[in-house]
Amino acid sequence: MDFGYADEIRADFPELAVEALLVGGITPGTEVSGQLSRFTAVATERLGPRTESDLPEIQAWRRAFAKMGLKPTQYRCASEALLRRLRKEGALPRIHPLVDLCNAISLAFAIPVAVIDMAMMTGRLEVRRAKGTEIYESFSGAIEHPEPEEVIYADAGGNAHARRWTNRQSGRSAIRATTATALIVAEAMHATGRQDVERLIDAVAAALTGINGVHVMERQSFPI
């Protein structure tokens, strides 16, 4: 698992808690419907009459985005965006079994979860501040360059695999039918984040256990 965090990110966000899982063997035909319903029900019950912005996990990421100079209501962390869509539309679109499962678990925990195709990495993947020259490919195929100092997921080849940290992943490394190995990353900023990212990754690992051909290759806590 050639993945980590730049020292400046650790220094600027000492509250950050991260758990990552490297998995292989999942295919587009994997059946996860029952698990999606279970985790989505947890999120719906937890939200109740509230909005996602009332949850401590989301409030903590809003503070982090404000610290990065971003308007939290303009740029939302991935879990907030998913919860908002669930509240407004009642369901999430189906994309790929692994993405669908991680999205549902992200809803249940209100914690952003990145799911990245490791075959699309060039060398080490690191969460760091951008130089502004990195290449980001959107899901539409458009090419962008992150703003200098923006927090991104970047590989050694100068590819940005996420912009504004937990706001938007890249189409370049999105999970697809041909994905063989995926990196799953859960990142939290709230007071009980360490325990919660561990429980989240436990839930992912448990959900994948028993699925034919799927195997957990490595697990790691960050920052270390």
Side-chain angles (χ1 to χ4, degrees), residues 2 66 75 108 140-141 200:
D2 201 2
Y75 299 108
S140 69
L200 188 157

Side-chain angles (χ1 to χ4, degrees), residues 77-134:
C77 76
S79 54
E80 179 176 359
L82 290 173
L83 284 162
R84 191 166 186 262
R85 186 165 190 175
L86 176 67
R87 178 171 56 82
K88 289 178 175 291
E89 301 178 14
L92 299 181
R94 300 287 287 270
I95 301 169
H96 179 285
L98 183 59
V99 176
D100 299 340
L101 178 64
C102 288
N103 280 349
I105 293 175
S106 176
L107 287 173
F109 284 85
I111 292 172
V113 178
V115 190
I116 298 169
D117 187 337
M118 292 305 287
M120 303 307 294
M121 296 302 111
T122 300
R124 177 176 172 78
L125 179 65
E126 185 175 56
V127 179
R128 61 168 174 80
R129 294 196 180 275
K131 300 172 184 176
T133 58
E134 297 86 356

Side-chain angles (χ1 to χ4, degrees), residues 45-177:
E45 182 177 358
R46 189 176 179 207
L47 273 177
R50 301 182 294 179
T51 67
E52 56 283 351
S53 62
D54 295 320
L55 301 176
E57 298 88 345
I58 301 304
Q59 291 172 353
W61 269 108
R62 284 191 169 202
R63 290 192 294 271
F65 273 45
K67 189 174 181 178
M68 290 188 284
L70 301 171
K71 290 182 65 174
T73 54
Q74 181 178 1
Y75 299 108
R76 306 173 192 275
C77 76
S79 54
E80 179 176 359
L82 290 173
L83 284 162
R84 191 166 186 262
R85 186 165 190 175
L86 176 67
R87 178 171 56 82
K88 289 178 175 291
E89 301 178 14
L92 299 181
R94 300 287 287 270
I95 301 169
H96 179 285
L98 183 59
V99 176
D100 299 340
L101 178 64
C102 288
N103 280 349
I105 293 175
S106 176
L107 287 173
F109 284 85
I111 292 172
V113 178
V115 190
I116 298 169
D117 187 337
M118 292 305 287
M120 303 307 294
M121 296 302 111
T122 300
R124 177 176 172 78
L125 179 65
E126 185 175 56
V127 179
R128 61 168 174 80
R129 294 196 180 275
K131 300 172 184 176
T133 58
E134 297 86 356
I135 297 171
Y136 172 90
E137 182 180 334
S138 72
F139 278 83
S140 69
I143 299 300
E144 303 173 6
H145 298 284
E147 296 292 332
E149 297 300 306
E150 179 182 324
V151 179
I152 61 171
Y153 274 58
D155 68 22
N159 300 297
H161 296 279
R163 290 200 60 185
R164 305 177 194 92
W165 203 340
T166 56
N167 169 242
R168 187 157 59 109
Q169 284 189 233
S170 168
R172 175 183 174 86
S173 51
I175 302 302
R176 47 182 57 84

